[in-house]
Amino acid sequence: MECKTTAVVSGDVNDSIDMPDLPRRQFDALIIGAGGGGLRAALQLANADASVAVVSKVFPTRSHTVAAQGGMNAALANVLPDNWHWHMFDTVKGSDYLGDQDAIEYMCRAAPTAVYELEHFGVPFSRLDNGSIYQRPFGGQSQNFGGDQAARTCAAADRTGHAILHSLYQQNIRAKTHFFDEYFAVDLLKDDQGYILGALAFNIHNGEPVIIEAKTTLLATGGAGQLFRTTTNALINTGDGMGMALRAGVPLQDMEFFQFHPTGIAGRGMLITEGARGEGGYLVNADGERLMERYAPKAKDLASRDVVSRAIATEVREGRGCGPNKDHVMLKLDHLGEDVIQKRLPGIRQTCITFVGIDPAVAPVPIFPTAHYTMGGIPTNRDGQVVMPVKDTPEEPVPGLYAAGECACVSVHGANRLGGNSLLDILVFGRAAANHIIDYLSENRYHRPIDSDSLESAVNRMQRWDRKGDGEGESVSGLRDELKMVMENHCSVFRNDEVLAEGVAKVEQIVERFKHARIDDHSAVFNTARVEALELENLLGVALATIHSARARQESRGAHSRTDYTERDDINWMRHSLYSLDTGLDYKPVRTKPISVDSFPPKARVY
Amino acid sequence: MKFRIYRYNPDADKKPYMQDFELADPEPGMMLLAALLKIKDTIDESLSFRRSCGEGVCGSDGMNINGINGLACVTPLASLKQPIEIRPLPGLPVVRDLIVDMDQFWQNYRDVKPYLIVNDPMPEVELPQTPQQREQLDGLYECILCACCSTQCPSFWWNPDKYLGPAALLQASRFIEDSRDQATEERLAALEGPFKLFRCHSIMNCVQVCPKGLNPTRAINNIKKMMVKRSL
Ligand SMILES: Cc1cc2nc3c(=O)[nH]c(=O)nc-3n(C[C@H](O)[C@H](O)[C@H](O)COP(=O)(O)OP(=O)(O)OC[C@H]3O[C@@H](n4cnc5c(N)ncnc54)[C@H](O)[C@@H]3O)c2cc1C
Ligand code: SF4
Ligand code: SF4
Ligand code: FES
């Protein structure tokens, strides 16, 4: 597709610098990732007449945003009374008080506009009789600061992510955004002053590298669910942007907080949206008991995700699991009737029939908590700028580098994300980052020369896999499967020091062995083996950050439940973890001060 | 479990060939994609195919399975006759193994202006749409652009650059049917002529293979009806 403004084929700016002779392209803004976060940012930039390039390792509509089912939160009050301040309270409480309250206020205030914009872009939201957008109840939502259940999640049946991703891609077609489809971004490029100046990528079709120079680079590469063996995430969710950030010297924040979704199809991992419980579904154990009544007397099945996942894991541990191995519980939906299920949950009905041969309109579905969402990520402020500690400043922006979406940590989700808040996060902060980029571009009008060291190490990293070994070294797929098993066994719903310490040792050992890993496919044409090797390298960085941060945090908060430290410890641990490859762990305070309202002080979390 | 898989790597092979693979005891309920991944991981790393979501929502892994296009990730092994013969989607140039060059398919998609066009100033809130108006989009908006339909359509095979094909036409219909869209006239005008739309001869291959159970033929016929009305 033609790009809107000319992309200068380079050489004319940095001729004096000695660098490998690689093709170059120049843009104002580079966006790595074409999920909802990346595409929302791209659209904002294209509409502002910036030259913008979007790089994606899969065709944009294959991005994982397409899989989001249940919907997106915004206090529209179309169904029940609501306002952004209640939404903010729920989000802060849901985060177990680890979320940054300025960012949360910003997001909840921006939510209605974000939804209306999407609707104007063409998203086919489900509708109410009066013609307004349909909203359903989701977990952790309340009216009036912890009162009755709210209905805040805007939905397009149970295909909300598909509807949003396609509409955003379509609008980018209209705006003539420049896409690099099926290009793999290898590493960030920078200069010696720490400015991020684009990335090295290669065209997966023919293996040819290209330097994409840009005044700003936005990472929107999504989550890292492939860390775990059983996951709701796509095979492409390998934490690439997080890996790139780590290698560029940026720490990852709060990686110990990984969300296990209560209702993955047991043993298979396909997600059944929380919207299924929002529509009236509930969980039962082997005794036929409605188990959530015991764990969350008020909110029951719509308590926060961490609470419901722990409840299910506890039932199974205590022998009340269902099935021959007593290893799951059941989600009951058949009482809703076929009409409701077909109208509101057609996609999950199809998935259940396809993968386990059960029609939820007829029989209950076996479910178990499944790795789902990366709460941690690349630390940013609410303008999407990547920030890191420099001397005494805990949050100094990295010039030219932005992150948004699941790969970022603003942090609006803190220790536990509420369902429906991620689609909101990617859209609100995708747009916020783009707006800040527009300002940055007006002050930084020229491309800066890229440092040759940074380019060289990126090129080496890519070329490592071209070397024909002597048949020694372990296979990439074997190491990957082992890593996923280790993470599942050592960093799951319940954790303790012993299990984590063993996990740390095992992950470090896999990292060592990876240095000698090999691939046998050296073809230039659509070499998926090479892509998978580069992905595993990224996953390994993310695994180190996750398991080290988990072992260090001696408390239970949100999704991080320690059986050896069962209480939340606000005095010592109400702070964000930062893990970097060179210096290990560091911490920074939570931003507890909102923009305009009073802070919500930490309280016991009861649902 | 026996497989015969189309192999072609332009880097190394003079011409395509079929290669046999065998997997010992596949797990019960295993999908074809899982089997391909297993072959790739344990037998031949160079076997190349696209995949992402693994649950039939992203549209990556359309391929020709025992002669019929479908998504590997939602095709149970148990439903397939052996040896399972797998080829790339027909009618598009092969990049490598099961991976086809989709440029023409995307070009046709872009040609139908697949985005909502509203000329009036936007309201501060949502554009209203009744549940009945919204229902008109069911069966249209769910398309995942997997190309299974277009690459099973003889009219598309013969004229991929002139006939838009069922996937693109389904999207044309998705916007024509949208009560919010204000470009119906323009959209219909753009489909005039003997090729773009009217090359569809209602052979219905597309309907039979759509993994999402969509019906491009019906959408195409609806557009045809509107064209006829328009010309009266
Ligand atoms: C099954 C499921 C259901 C969900 N349902 C909901 C829901 O109902 N509501 C909700 O709010 N949230 C939901 N979520 C969460 C939400 O969908 C995701 O967090 C969100 O879509 C992530 O969007 P993103 O733009 O950050 O990344 P993604 O959509 O994952 O996109 C990442 C992009 O980065 C690109 N990329 C990655 N690495 C590279 C590289 N090295 N080079 C080039 N490109 C690269 C990819 O190609 C892709 O385009 C769900 C998640 C799952 C898994
Ligand atoms: S019905 Fe039309 S679009 Fe479908 S396969 Fe036949 S000719 Fe192609
Ligand atoms: S109509 Fe069906 S077969 Fe055709 S591209 Fe869409 S989802 Fe695929
Ligand atoms: S892998 Fe996404 S549709 Fe099959």
Side-chain angles (χ1 to χ4, degrees):
Chain A
M1 194 183 315
E2 281 312 302
C3 50
K4 178 170 225 159
T5 28
T6 36
V8 187
V9 180
S10 72
D12 53 348
V13 181
N14 304 325
D15 271 344
S16 58
I17 311 293
D18 175 35
M19 257 185 281
D21 198 15
L22 295 177
R24 291 173 179 226
R25 305 291 297 270
Q26 274 191 349
F27 296 89
D28 288 338
L30 165 63
I31 295 173
I32 304 177
L39 290 183
R40 183 65 191 85
L43 186 58
Q44 194 80 351
L45 285 160
N47 285 343
D49 280 336
S51 78
V52 48
V54 179
V55 171
S56 173
K57 64 181 176 180
V58 294
F59 186 79
T61 59
R62 318 294 190 215
S63 304
H64 199 53
T65 296
V66 82
Q69 302 174 352
M72 159 173 175
N73 297 338
L76 306 184
N78 284 357
V79 173
L80 293 171
D82 209 352
N83 71 56
W84 68 264
H85 203 188
W86 301 347
H87 183 186
M88 177 181 172
F89 168 82
D90 291 339
T91 304
V92 173
K93 176 179 170 189
S95 82
D96 219 347
Y97 300 91
L98 195 71
D100 291 312
Q101 297 195 19
D102 61 332
I104 295 175
E105 176 178 343
Y106 181 87
M107 177 178 83
C108 297
R109 275 179 179 273
T113 311
V115 170
Y116 296 140
E117 278 174 355
L118 286 177
E119 197 278 332
H120 297 167
F121 296 157
V123 173
F125 284 109
S126 302
R127 299 289 174 148
L128 296 161
D129 285 339
N130 69 4
S132 63
I133 292 170
Y134 170 73
Q135 297 190 279
R136 58 162 57 111
F138 245 52
Q141 300 181 348
S142 73
Q143 302 179 46
N144 215 353
F145 311 106
D148 292 344
Q149 176 71 39
R152 190 174 291 142
T153 306
C154 308
D158 60 357
R159 303 190 178 96
T160 315
H162 170 281
I164 290 175
L165 187 69
H166 280 246
S167 297
L168 285 173
Y169 179 61
Q170 294 163 348
Q171 288 298 324
N172 274 287
I173 292 178
R174 182 190 55 71
K176 299 195 168 53
T177 301
H178 195 98
F179 282 99
F180 288 82
D181 295 334
E182 303 194 310
Y183 274 67
F184 189 92
V186 178
D187 255 325
L188 296 169
L189 300 174
K190 53 184 182 176
D191 68 8
D192 54 5
Q193 291 181 44
Y195 279 78
I196 302 296
L197 303 169
L200 178 75
F202 67 88
N203 182 347
I204 299 176
H205 282 241
N206 56 22
E208 277 170 20
V210 54
I211 298 168
I212 302 182
E213 282 188 88
K215 298 168 200 163
T216 63
T217 304
L218 171 70
L219 292 168
T221 51
Q226 285 300 318
L227 269 182
F228 298 89
R229 189 180 62 115
T230 313
T231 170
T232 64
N233 279 206
L235 290 157
I236 59 168
N237 287 9
T238 49
D240 294 351
M242 299 176 193
M244 283 184 247
L246 276 175
R247 283 190 299 277
V250 175
L252 295 185
Q253 179 177 326
D254 293 342
M255 291 303 292
E256 63 271 43
F257 299 101
F258 202 97
Q259 180 165 77
F260 293 83
H261 194 292
T263 56
I265 296 181
R268 306 298 295 252
M270 287 80 200
L271 179 80
I272 299 185
T273 172
E274 193 162 295
R277 281 169 287 138
E279 298 289 345
Y282 56 85
L283 301 172
V284 291
N285 63 17
D287 308 330
E289 180 203 10
R290 201 174 157 178
L291 61 105
M292 283 313 297
E293 287 178 345
R294 252 184 299 121
Y295 295 89
K298 193 156 123 235
K300 300 194 182 78
D301 294 86
L302 288 179
S304 251
R305 286 187 181 168
D306 55 333
V307 176
V308 183
S309 283
R310 266 193 301 277
I312 298 167
T314 306
E315 289 297 297
V316 167
R317 278 169 133 202
E318 293 178 356
R320 290 185 296 277
C322 306
N325 302 323
K326 295 177 167 298
D327 56 359
H328 58 265
V329 301
M330 290 295 197
L331 173 64
K332 203 171 135 44
L333 292 167
D334 49 321
H335 60 285
L336 300 178
E338 192 173 342
D339 280 358
V340 172
I341 291 178
Q342 194 48 40
K343 184 136 174 248
R344 300 290 184 213
L345 306 166
I348 70 127
R349 183 180 194 194
Q350 203 173 32
T351 298
C352 291
I353 293 174
T354 306
F355 285 95
V356 280
I358 295 174
D359 181 351
V362 177
V365 186
I367 58 93
F368 195 71
T370 304
H372 182 58
Y373 183 85
T374 322
M375 258 87 69
I378 305 160
T380 73
N381 59 23
R382 62 174 195 264
D383 290 321
Q385 291 180 288
V386 172
V387 291
M388 59 185 283
V390 175
K391 297 205 183 82
D392 294 335
T393 327
E395 302 200 314
E396 186 66 27
V398 179
L401 185 60
Y402 294 77
E406 191 169 336
C407 72
C409 185
V410 187
S411 158
V412 286
H413 310 304
N416 171 64
R417 168 176 80 92
L418 292 188
N421 265 357
S422 174
L423 289 174
L424 177 61
D425 166 12
I426 67 177
L427 294 158
V428 166
F429 292 104
R431 185 177 70 156
N435 284 338
H436 199 275
I437 288 171
I438 292 165
D439 291 347
Y440 182 96
L441 290 173
S442 68
E443 286 157 25
N444 295 267
R445 304 179 68 89
Y446 303 104
H447 289 269
R448 304 166 65 97
I450 294 168
D451 185 65
S452 53
D453 286 354
S454 115
L455 183 57
E456 229 175 87
S457 66
V459 171
N460 284 340
R461 196 171 155 261
M462 186 179 79
Q463 286 178 346
R464 168 188 165 186
W465 303 104
D466 297 342
R467 284 198 293 274
K468 301 199 170 75
D470 39 17
E472 290 192 10
E474 292 175 81
S475 76
V476 165
S477 59
L479 286 173
R480 180 193 59 218
D481 291 349
E482 198 176 323
L483 175 73
K484 292 167 69 151
M485 209 58 197
V486 169
M487 290 303 288
E488 184 142 310
N489 292 336
H490 293 270
C491 208
S492 193
V493 175
F494 288 109
R495 306 160 171 188
N496 66 47
D497 190 65
E498 195 188 328
V499 172
L500 286 166
E502 254 175 63
V504 166
K506 287 183 178 168
V507 172
E508 283 182 342
Q509 197 222 24
I510 296 173
V511 170
E512 272 311 304
R513 285 155 58 200
F514 180 77
K515 291 180 183 154
H516 313 287
R518 64 170 166 82
I519 59 174
D520 299 323
D521 184 352
H522 299 287
S523 167
V525 180
F526 225 107
N527 188 333
T528 47
R530 172 157 81 170
V531 168
E532 287 179 26
L534 290 164
E535 288 176 336
L536 178 59
E537 187 173 2
N538 290 323
L539 264 187
L540 284 168
V542 177
L544 282 173
T546 304
I547 200 149
H548 275 291
S549 309
R551 184 170 181 217
R553 184 174 286 271
Q554 299 180 335
E555 65 159 350
S556 289
R557 183 186 295 272
H560 178 67
S561 307
R562 296 273 304 239
T563 52
D564 46 354
Y565 299 93
T566 54
E567 298 301 312
R568 192 176 78 199
D569 176 356
D570 290 329
I571 295 172
N572 295 304
W573 287 103
M574 210 172 105
R575 51 183 185 159
H576 296 296
S577 317
L578 294 172
Y579 176 86
S580 75
L581 286 180
D582 295 336
T583 54
L585 281 161
D586 189 5
Y587 295 91
K588 70 175 184 184
V590 175
R591 300 192 300 265
T592 50
K593 208 174 143 352
I595 303 171
S596 71
V597 292
D598 286 343
S599 176
F600 291 110
K603 274 203 232 155
R605 241 166 113 234
V606 188
Y607 281 100
Chain B
M1 186 74 62
K2 289 189 167 58
F3 300 82
R4 297 205 71 198
I5 304 181
Y6 177 102
R7 300 302 307 269
Y8 178 58
N9 177 359
D11 242 7
D13 307 324
K14 286 216 177 62
K15 55 179 206 266
Y17 60 98
M18 298 300 286
Q19 188 177 3
D20 290 332
F21 291 98
E22 194 158 350
L23 269 190
D25 35 65
E27 297 143 34
M30 197 178 200
M31 296 292 167
L32 176 58
L33 178 63
L36 290 175
L37 289 167
K38 193 151 183 197
I39 292 174
K40 185 174 175 62
D41 286 350
T42 60
I43 304 175
D44 185 350
E45 182 187 76
S46 71
L47 177 64
S48 306
F49 49 91
R50 293 186 175 103
R51 83 288 181 280
S52 174
C53 70
E55 55 181 38
V57 296
C58 77
S60 295
D61 59 344
M63 50 188 76
N64 188 269
I65 308 160
N66 284 347
I68 298 169
N69 291 350
L71 299 173
C73 62
V74 290
T75 302
L77 285 184
S79 70
L80 299 170
K81 192 172 113 284
Q82 294 188 50
I84 301 169
E85 206 170 281
I86 309 169
R87 297 168 181 273
L89 292 175
L92 293 174
V94 175
V95 177
R96 177 176 178 178
D97 296 347
L98 303 175
I99 296 167
V100 291
D101 181 339
M102 307 254 301
D103 280 356
Q104 184 69 54
F105 179 80
W106 299 126
Q107 182 59 50
N108 295 5
Y109 173 64
R110 288 194 296 267
D111 273 355
V112 303
K113 296 207 163 93
Y115 41 81
L116 189 73
I117 299 178
V118 179
N119 300 317
D120 294 344
M122 286 290 182
E124 302 91 299
V125 295
E126 65 267 59
L127 294 157
Q129 185 169 53
T130 65
Q132 294 70 32
Q133 290 171 325
R134 169 60 183 75
E135 249 167 49
Q136 299 304 308
L137 306 183
D138 286 343
L140 301 174
Y141 84 98
E142 302 93 321
C143 171
I144 58 173
L145 301 174
C146 64
C148 284
C149 56
S150 294
T151 59
Q152 196 98 55
C153 165
S155 298
F156 182 79
W157 292 339
W158 306 139
N159 295 292
D161 53 343
K162 298 201 193 83
Y163 172 54
L164 288 167
L169 289 168
L170 188 86
Q171 287 312 297
S173 174
R174 180 245 170 276
F175 289 97
I176 290 169
E177 294 294 336
D178 196 321
S179 61
R180 301 168 295 175
D181 191 83
Q182 297 180 328
T184 307
E185 174 53 33
E186 185 186 325
R187 293 180 190 281
L188 293 175
L191 296 173
E192 288 285 6
F195 274 102
K196 284 188 168 151
L197 169 76
F198 285 99
R199 269 291 130 149
C200 168
H201 300 307
S202 302
I203 312 165
M204 305 260 291
N205 282 7
C206 53
V207 183
Q208 277 159 30
V209 298
C210 176
K212 303 311 278 183
L214 309 180
N215 190 331
T217 313
R218 186 167 60 214
I220 292 168
N221 286 337
N222 284 343
I223 305 178
K224 284 183 183 168
K225 271 187 226 147
M226 292 180 86
M227 302 278 275
V228 172
K229 230 196 255 161
R230 180 174 164 270
S231 63
L232 288 180

